[in-house]
Amino acid sequence: MATYQLNVNGQTKKVDADPSTPLLWVLREELKMTGTKYGCGISACGACTVHLNGVATRSCIVPVSLIGNQKITTIEGVGADPVGRAVQNAWVEKDVVQCGYCQSGQIMSAVALLKATTKPTDTNIEESMGGNLCRCATYVRIREAIKRAAEQLT
Amino acid sequence: MLANRRLLSPLFGLMFIVGMACLVLSTRAGSKRDSANPKLADGLAAWEQVYSVLVSPRCINCHTATNYPQQGDDRHRHFANVIRGREGRGVPALSCIGCHQEVNAESTGVPGGPDWHLAPLSMRWQDTNNRPLSSAAVCRSVTDRAKNENMDGRALLTHHQEAALVLWAWNPGRRLDGSMRTPPPLAHEQFVTATRTWVEAGTPCPRAK
């Protein structure tokens, strides 16, 4: 076990964890921040996406020992950001969610996309969101919501 | 007749001297060629060693001709719909560093190194049918300064000695099942020695077959 000071959504959180523990489980089990979901555990589905220094990152495969002082943003904190807020609003407006399990990851990826690409094309969306799987197949509404958020932000 | 002999004698003498000089010079030139040829041969042999590393999975998986990286010793397509992106670093929300950290993540089996990214398409070492390019083609590509970020032989040697992602190939970490990834066929020291021999021979490339 080791003690880590993590910067989560702008707050310093102290956790004791085995160095090999994936960030996902530190967030969910130690910090009780359950908005970030466990899907596949091998970075194949995107449900666990958080931001590390603004980079959309699969938290299920990043050991806590590699986080260091990087800024972690989770679904609980992304709404404090204008782009994050716009995406969440668009998600509600377009009624994107079906079962909802993957949507934390979808939103975190959509925010990363819109921060890099203010007016994403269909191709941009398909490429960037291609690592986020949705078993309910809400892909069409996800694309509409990303475009709606882009409109709101311009 | 006697006068002619007097005239011809110095001429024959001069011809003899010139002839001997030519013989000596041609012998010297021959020995120079003989010494150059082994160096060229050594350089070409060293290149084949370098080539064996470059087309090994740890290297060629990121020197693809495709719109995506490859992974594994069987060089299959990278999973999770990862694509190359404009600068070889993936795309927003699906970037290389979104999974690959600065070092290997041994507990989760994810390889890592500084600024994990694909080589540019100008440095592809395989064709679009997933076959490694020939030794001659890879050599031409590697030595083409218009394609290789303007590296001369000395810079190529430094690249092979020191570049972080090159070094990673000899410290590729563990797979998800805990087994070690296969390193390239030569030790890094041997790879550098072969590169040095090849560079000192003038980075010769084999002829295309």
Side-chain angles (χ1 to χ4, degrees):
Chain A
M1 296 290 273
T3 301
Y4 298 95
Q5 299 223 0
L6 303 176
N7 182 330
V8 185
N9 298 327
Q11 295 184 323
T12 301
K13 306 279 188 183
K14 191 174 171 184
V15 295
D16 292 319
D18 186 282
S20 66
T21 309
L23 173 62
L24 170 67
W25 297 112
V26 172
L27 292 171
R28 290 183 59 85
E29 300 293 329
E30 304 299 325
L31 299 177
K32 308 301 179 190
M33 300 172 74
T34 54
T36 304
K37 302 301 183 190
Y38 168 73
C40 64
I42 56 167
S43 72
C45 76
C48 67
T49 304
V50 300
H51 293 180
L52 284 186
N53 285 346
V55 176
T57 300
R58 306 298 192 243
S59 65
C60 70
I61 54 160
V62 181
V64 66
S65 60
L66 299 186
I67 301 298
N69 58 6
Q70 296 181 84
K71 292 178 180 173
I72 304 163
T73 306
T74 69
I75 189 68
E76 289 90 347
V78 76
D81 174 271
V83 177
R85 172 52 53 194
V87 170
Q88 288 180 330
N89 288 341
W91 240 248
V92 173
E93 183 184 325
K94 295 293 180 182
D95 199 13
V96 172
V97 175
Q98 189 162 315
C99 88
Y101 195 81
C102 70
Q103 297 297 327
S104 305
Q106 302 280 4
I107 287 172
M108 297 305 290
S109 288
V111 172
L113 167 61
L114 286 169
K115 286 196 170 190
T117 312
T118 52
K119 287 188 177 177
T121 62
D122 285 352
T123 301
N124 294 147
I125 294 170
E126 285 161 13
E127 288 179 345
S128 272
M129 303 298 292
N132 287 82
L133 307 184
C134 174
R135 293 192 69 179
C136 307
T138 60
Y139 300 113
V140 174
R141 294 202 294 274
I142 287 171
R143 182 160 58 191
E144 287 175 359
I146 290 172
K147 289 191 170 181
R148 177 68 183 131
E151 285 170 9
Q152 289 178 322
L153 289 164
T154 51
Chain B
M1 203 55 189
L2 190 64
N4 282 349
R5 271 191 192 171
R6 281 180 185 163
L7 278 171
L8 286 172
S9 283
L11 190 60
F12 280 131
L14 185 64
M15 285 173 69
F16 178 77
I17 292 165
V18 169
M20 288 303 289
C22 286
L23 186 65
V24 168
L25 285 173
S26 75
T27 307
R28 276 193 178 174
S31 66
K32 193 174 178 184
R33 270 201 306 277
D34 288 348
S35 66
N37 280 339
K39 193 173 180 185
L40 177 66
D42 288 348
L44 288 171
W47 163 255
E48 291 304 328
Q49 288 188 299
V50 173
Y51 173 72
S52 74
V53 170
L54 301 190
V55 295
S56 71
R58 294 295 77 74
C59 298
I60 203 171
N61 278 355
C62 289
H63 282 263
T64 68
T66 51
N67 189 33
Y68 50 82
Q70 295 172 326
Q71 59 182 153
D73 288 349
D74 60 354
R75 297 169 41 221
H76 59 273
R77 180 177 182 155
H78 194 296
F79 78 114
N81 297 323
V82 170
I83 62 169
R84 171 181 289 276
R86 202 171 50 190
E87 296 175 348
R89 288 173 168 77
V91 289
L94 200 53
S95 60
C96 302
I97 61 169
C99 288
H100 300 278
Q101 303 297 303
E102 300 258 311
V103 295
N104 295 323
E106 299 290 7
S107 62
T108 55
V110 182
D115 189 23
W116 195 267
H117 64 278
L118 280 166
L121 280 171
S122 63
M123 275 294 113
R124 59 184 178 271
W125 294 338
Q126 54 180 263
D127 64 21
T128 50
N129 290 320
N130 199 26
R131 288 182 299 241
L133 295 178
S134 69
S135 168
V138 173
C139 188
R140 278 198 307 275
S141 179
V142 166
T143 53
D144 184 344
R145 293 177 72 168
K147 292 181 177 177
N148 76 0
E149 298 180 346
N150 199 30
M151 285 192 273
D152 62 9
R154 192 57 53 184
L156 286 169
L157 175 61
T158 303
H159 181 68
H160 287 184
Q161 275 178 309
E162 299 174 8
L165 290 183
V166 173
L167 293 175
W168 170 85
W170 283 271
N171 177 31
R174 294 181 184 280
R175 303 181 183 96
L176 190 57
D177 65 6
S179 61
M180 290 298 293
R181 288 190 179 83
T182 313
L186 299 180
H188 183 247
E189 195 178 311
Q190 293 172 305
F191 176 60
V192 170
T193 300
T195 304
R196 183 177 289 112
T197 303
W198 174 62
V199 167
E200 287 174 353
T203 64
C205 288
R207 290 181 184 202
K209 289 173 185 169

